[in-house]
Amino acid sequence: QVQLVESGGGLVQHGGSLRLSCSASRTKFYIYTMGWYRQTHGNERELVATITTDPRTDLTTTYYADSVKGRFTISRDKDTIFMQMNDLKSEDAGVYYCKVDFRQFGVEWGQGTQVTVSS
């Protein structure tokens, strides 16, 4: 069974920075896309950022929600992703979930890590 380990969440002041990481292990299939989603109380999970790697060329493609462009940076090292979050705002707060996409073989979600931004 795939295991996802997330870390890096916590309490940070407005304007501060955090770095999230998500490491996948026990994977049987190639992970095409890894990403972060944010969920706040009573709302659906929303996409924050993703990174997709083409296994044939190793080229990566990233996607960012408009609200985080220029402030968040997602990167990948094999089956681990990192998301550097700078200039954090109150609207960035929530539970961040890591998602891995094996395409036709399904997806897996992490347990979530809490990000709290104080004013």
Side-chain angles (χ1 to χ4, degrees), residues 10-18 87-94 114-119:
L11 173 64
V12 64
Q13 287 189 333
H14 185 273
S17 299
L18 284 175
D87 189 23
L88 283 161
K89 309 176 186 297
S90 57
E91 53 264 39
D92 296 320
Q114 178 74 47
V115 171
T116 304
V117 182
S118 65
S119 57

Side-chain angles (χ1 to χ4, degrees), residues 37-55:
Y37 290 69
R38 176 176 61 231
Q39 187 171 28
T40 54
H41 182 69
N43 296 313
E44 295 185 355
R45 291 179 190 180
E46 58 178 353
L47 175 62
V48 178
T50 62
I51 185 164
T52 299
T53 304
D54 186 329

Side-chain angles (χ1 to χ4, degrees), residues 11-81:
L11 173 64
V12 64
Q13 287 189 333
H14 185 273
S17 299
L18 284 175
R19 188 181 191 226
L20 304 183
S21 66
C22 173
S23 182
S25 61
R26 301 178 186 174
T27 58
K28 296 172 60 177
F29 306 108
Y30 182 80
I31 302 175
Y32 287 85
T33 301
M34 300 180 75
W36 291 99
Y37 290 69
R38 176 176 61 231
Q39 187 171 28
T40 54
H41 182 69
N43 296 313
E44 295 185 355
R45 291 179 190 180
E46 58 178 353
L47 175 62
V48 178
T50 62
I51 185 164
T52 299
T53 304
D54 186 329
R56 299 166 298 176
T57 63
D58 275 346
L59 291 177
T60 60
T61 304
T62 57
Y63 170 86
Y64 297 95
D66 287 342
S67 62
V68 306
K69 284 181 181 177
R71 300 187 297 120
F72 291 13
T73 302
I74 191 169
S75 60
R76 177 175 178 176
D77 180 11
K78 296 181 181 177
D79 289 345
T80 298
I81 57 169

Side-chain angles (χ1 to χ4, degrees), residues 93-111:
V95 180
Y96 282 72
Y97 292 91
C98 175
K99 176 185 175 184
V100 297
D101 187 348
F102 302 100
R103 291 199 174 171
Q104 69 267 34
F105 300 109
V107 300
E108 292 285 344
W109 289 92
Q111 294 300 307

